[in-house]
């Protein structure tokens, strides 16, 4: 049991590098990297709802087509892709599920097989269709974007988010119509298949398979050829087996869909559409319709023979002949059937083992390649860092030399300034002495009048001081005598006021 689980994980690891489907978050504009599959990189307006999930379908590390998935109906609303020439087909289909639709917190970011997602995805099948929803029913898984329309062989691993319930006959004719329209009508009338934008969608009904997966009322296709001579066409095919594909204008197709959406921005350049190319497309569509009517009439005329042909594909002609002729043939067929089933089982086991071996070898090859790439990356990074460091040092050498030269120049200038100051000071001493000697007579002669003036002022002051002293002394004596006389009682009277 452990070996089987390890082989399954190894196969998933090998497949994860080739297949993927990224759920586009609400905050992202449009479908992210898958906007390139829409005309003017603008998804249809008016078809979004709370129950719709935007998926960017990836394969081989590249974006392949975009899908708007309805978790309420568990079928896609539409798938968008660019025109391509039909591929060879014939590859084995591997129906995968999107883990993050049912479990947004799932660690599985890539599409995976249902059996491997059961143990790791919570609420698996609560919001999307599973393989078991189609078992024991009258419906098959019909792809809106058939694998056979893509030249990418890795698209053989299909996702259930790109499928709707279809009856076997309707599924066969719908895919045949898509091939005929793409190969004979749409692609030849568009200058380049890269300029051809295709939308394939469904109109849900009230009928559900096992009360889970909604059966469509009709499927539709809208084509837009970009360019100066572009055009736009629509096609509708009812899910009733008796109906054929009908051509309609894109505006009429939009009226048949809920909310009357706008499938292409600016109606795919409506004012510049080439009517002549549209007429040629309608001629080819008429041929396709005539061919389908012929197929339907042939199928209705021989229903019994077609049933016998389907049964004859399971047994050999001898067994069928004997089973129709006698009971011995039926008994022989009953005996041979277990051995045939056993042989089929052995072939399946051998093919499965070979697949797992190839997956394991591929996984180890990828690991070895990744290891070599890591080594080369680190070696290249170290080499680049070494040369970058050396280059930085070489570039910085002239700058460092320039800084040294500037410092040397500044030091020399400072030395010269100091020398000039010393010379000036040395030369300044005799100059000052000479100036003082030359100015001494001038200062001496100019000082003589001042000195004479000072001497005269001094002499005048001395004489004035002597007079003041004499008169002051005499006045004092007279005052003393006058006071003594006054005390004794004699009164001196002066007849003349001018005498003492």
């Amino acid at each position: 049991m452990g070996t089987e689980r390890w082989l399954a994980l190894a196969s998933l690891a090998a497949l994860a590098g080739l297949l993927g489907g990224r759920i586009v978050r609400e905050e992202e504009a449009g479908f992210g990297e898958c906007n390139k599959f829409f005309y003017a990189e603008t998804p249809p307006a008016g078809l979004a709802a709370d129950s719709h999930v935007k998926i960017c379908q990836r394969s081989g590390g590249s974006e392949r087509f975009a899908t708007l998935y309805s978790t309420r109906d568990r079928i896609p609303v539409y798938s968008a892709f660019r025109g391509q020439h039909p591929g060879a087909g014939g590859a084995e289909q591997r129906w995968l599920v999107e883990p993050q639709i049912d479990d947004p917190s799932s660690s599985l970011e890539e599409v995976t097989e249902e059996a491997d997602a059961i143990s790791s995805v919570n609420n698996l099948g609560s919001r999307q269709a599973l393989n078991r929803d189609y078992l024991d029913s009258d419906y098959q898984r019909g792809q809106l974007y058939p694998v056979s329309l893509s030249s990418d062989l890795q698209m053989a691993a299909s996702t259930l988010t790109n499928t709707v319930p279809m009856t076997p006959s309707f599924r066969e004719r719908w895919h045949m119509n898509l091939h005929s329209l793409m190969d004979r009508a749409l692609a030849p009338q568009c200058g380049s298949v890269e300029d051809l934008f295709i939308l394939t969608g469904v109109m849900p009904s009230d009928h559900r398979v096992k009360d889970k997966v909604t059966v469509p009322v009709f499927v539709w296709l809208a084509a837009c050829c970009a360019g100066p001579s572009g055009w736009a066409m629509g096609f509708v095919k009812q899910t009733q087996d008796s109906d054929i594909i009908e051509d309609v204008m894109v505006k009429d197709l939009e009226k048949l869909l809920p909310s009357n959406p706008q499938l292409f921005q600016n109606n795919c350049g409506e004012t510049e559409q080439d009517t002549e190319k549209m007429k040629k497309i309608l001629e080819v569509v008429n041929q396709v319709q005539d061919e389908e009517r012929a197929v339907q009439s042939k199928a209705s005329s021989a229903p019994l023979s077609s049933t016998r042909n389907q049964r004859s594909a399971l047994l050999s002609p001898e067994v069928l002949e004997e089973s129709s002729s006698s009971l011995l043939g039926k008994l022989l067929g009953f005996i041979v059937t277990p051995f045939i089933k056993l042989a089929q089982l052995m072939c399946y086991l051998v093919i499965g083992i070979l697949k797992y071996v190839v997956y394991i070898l591929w996984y180890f090859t990828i690991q070895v390649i990744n290891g070599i790439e890591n080594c080369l990356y680190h070696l290249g990074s170290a080499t680049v860092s070494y040369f970058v460091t050396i280059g930085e040092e070489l570039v910085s050498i002239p700058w460092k030399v320039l800084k040294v030269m500037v410092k040397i120049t500044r030091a020399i200038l400072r030395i010269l300034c100091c020398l000039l100051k010393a010379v000036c000071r040395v030369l300044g001493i005799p100059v000052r002495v000479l100036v003082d000697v030359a100015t001494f007579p001038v200062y001496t002669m100019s000082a003589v009048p001042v000195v004479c003036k000072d001497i005269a002022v001094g002499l005048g002051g001395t004489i004035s001081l002597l007079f003041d002293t004499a008169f002051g002394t005499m006045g004092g004596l007279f005052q003393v005598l006058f006071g003594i006389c006054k005390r004794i009682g004699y009164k001196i009277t002066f007849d003349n006021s001018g005498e003492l």
Side-chain angles (χ1 to χ4, degrees):
M1 190 67 182
T3 304
E4 295 177 356
R5 183 66 177 173
W6 185 82
L7 290 174
L9 292 175
S11 63
L12 279 176
L15 191 63
L18 301 178
L19 304 171
R22 190 174 72 87
I23 304 297
V24 181
R25 304 300 178 188
E26 290 296 331
E27 59 269 13
E28 295 188 40
F31 285 74
E33 300 90 343
C34 283
N35 282 339
K36 63 183 179 181
F37 298 109
F38 299 96
Y39 174 72
E41 296 189 356
T42 304
L47 288 175
D50 295 337
S51 60
H52 293 171
V53 178
K54 295 177 287 187
I55 305 174
C56 184
Q57 306 279 11
R58 298 169 58 86
S59 173
S62 301
E63 298 78 20
R64 300 300 176 181
F65 65 103
T67 299
L68 183 66
Y69 188 78
S70 173
T71 57
R72 182 189 61 186
D73 298 323
R74 302 188 185 187
I75 57 173
V77 180
Y78 63 79
S79 287
F81 55 95
R82 303 282 282 271
Q84 296 183 13
H85 295 293
E92 179 187 1
Q93 290 182 336
R94 298 169 59 87
W95 298 102
L96 308 177
V97 297
E98 292 281 355
Q100 293 191 348
I101 290 182
D102 294 323
D103 186 7
S105 62
S106 174
S107 60
L108 298 176
E109 297 182 356
E110 306 290 345
V111 290
T112 183
E113 294 188 17
E114 180 180 337
D116 297 316
I118 291 176
S119 60
S120 59
V121 178
N122 297 325
N123 303 319
L124 183 64
S126 60
R127 303 181 66 200
Q128 66 176 312
L130 302 178
N131 287 297
R132 61 172 179 262
D133 296 332
Y134 290 89
L135 297 178
D136 300 326
S137 68
D138 297 331
Y139 295 93
Q140 293 182 349
R141 292 155 293 198
Q143 298 168 321
L144 289 185
Y145 177 35
V147 171
S148 54
L149 278 184
S150 174
S151 59
D152 178 20
L153 297 179
Q154 296 172 358
M155 284 291 296
S158 306
T159 61
L160 287 172
T161 54
N162 183 43
T163 59
V164 297
M166 296 181 183
T167 61
S169 58
F170 178 82
R171 176 177 177 272
E172 181 181 357
R173 289 202 304 273
W174 168 245
H175 288 175
M176 182 180 65
N177 292 151
L178 290 179
H179 272 266
S180 300
L181 289 174
M182 185 67 65
D183 196 33
R184 297 164 55 185
L186 303 181
Q189 297 303 324
C190 195
S192 172
V193 291
E194 289 295 323
D195 295 331
L196 183 59
F197 298 87
I198 306 295
L199 293 173
T200 54
V202 298
M203 175 68 177
S205 68
D206 296 331
H207 177 59
R208 292 175 180 263
V209 180
K210 298 182 179 181
D211 294 330
K212 291 184 178 181
V213 187
T214 301
V215 178
V217 177
F218 61 83
V219 293
W220 54 269
L221 182 147
C224 170
C225 179
S229 299
W231 45 262
M233 289 291 296
F235 303 92
V236 175
K237 186 176 181 65
Q238 303 291 332
T239 54
Q240 300 296 327
D241 293 343
S242 59
D243 294 323
I244 61 174
I245 192 166
E246 304 173 4
D247 55 273
V248 294
M249 301 301 294
V250 175
K251 286 187 176 180
D252 297 330
L253 174 59
E254 293 173 348
K255 294 178 181 178
L256 298 175
L257 301 178
S259 305
N260 191 17
Q262 185 178 21
L263 298 180
F264 301 110
Q265 187 185 33
N266 194 26
N267 293 324
C268 189
E270 182 179 13
T271 58
E272 300 178 356
Q273 292 182 1
D274 192 339
T275 57
E276 293 297 327
K277 291 187 177 181
M278 296 174 67
K279 291 180 181 179
K280 294 180 181 179
I281 293 174
L282 293 177
E283 293 176 359
V284 178
V285 172
N286 292 332
Q287 296 177 4
V288 174
Q289 292 173 345
D290 294 338
E291 293 173 359
E292 188 168 2
R293 290 190 184 96
V295 171
Q296 288 183 1
S297 61
K298 186 182 296 184
S300 61
S301 64
L304 182 60
S305 61
S306 62
T307 303
R308 290 178 179 176
N309 291 333
Q310 292 177 359
R311 292 180 179 177
S312 63
L314 301 177
L315 298 175
S316 62
E318 293 80 1
V319 175
L320 289 173
E321 184 178 358
E322 291 179 0
S323 62
S324 61
S325 61
S326 64
L327 181 62
L328 181 61
K330 294 181 181 179
L331 181 61
L332 181 61
F334 179 76
I335 296 173
V336 171
T337 298
F339 293 99
I340 295 176
K341 296 294 184 182
L342 180 61
Q344 291 178 349
L345 178 61
M346 294 298 294
C347 292
Y348 178 78
L349 290 176
V350 171
I351 293 173
I353 292 172
L354 291 176
K355 285 183 179 179
Y356 286 131
V357 170
V358 171
Y359 291 152
I360 293 171
L361 293 176
W362 176 254
Y363 174 76
F364 283 113
T365 303
I366 292 297
Q367 295 300 319
V368 172
I369 293 174
N370 289 335
I372 295 174
E373 288 180 353
N374 290 331
C375 292
L376 293 177
Y377 173 76
H378 290 300
L379 179 61
S381 299
T383 305
V384 171
S385 301
Y386 175 74
F387 283 109
V388 167
T389 305
I390 292 177
E392 290 176 352
E393 292 297 328
L394 292 176
V395 170
S396 64
I397 288 175
W399 173 247
K400 292 180 179 179
V401 171
L402 181 61
K403 289 173 66 176
V404 172
M405 296 297 295
V406 169
K407 290 182 179 180
I408 293 173
T409 304
R410 289 176 60 187
I412 293 173
L413 292 176
R414 287 182 180 178
I415 293 171
L416 292 176
C417 289
C418 293
L419 290 175
L420 289 175
K421 287 180 180 180
V423 171
C424 289
R425 289 180 180 179
V426 171
L427 295 177
I429 294 173
V431 170
R432 288 179 182 177
V433 172
L434 293 176
V435 170
D436 292 339
V437 172
T439 57
F440 177 75
V442 177
Y443 289 143
T444 302
M445 295 302 294
S446 62
V448 171
V450 177
V451 172
C452 292
K453 180 181 178 181
D454 291 339
I455 293 172
V457 172
L459 292 176
T462 302
I463 295 171
S464 176
L465 181 60
L466 292 175
F467 279 105
D468 289 338
T469 302
F471 284 110
T473 303
M474 289 179 68
L477 292 176
F478 280 111
Q479 285 181 0
V480 171
L481 290 177
F482 179 76
I484 292 171
C485 290
K486 208 175 172 185
R487 283 182 177 269
I488 296 174
Y490 293 99
K491 183 176 180 182
I492 301 174
T493 303
F494 298 92
D495 293 334
N496 190 1
S497 59
E499 295 179 357
L500 295 175

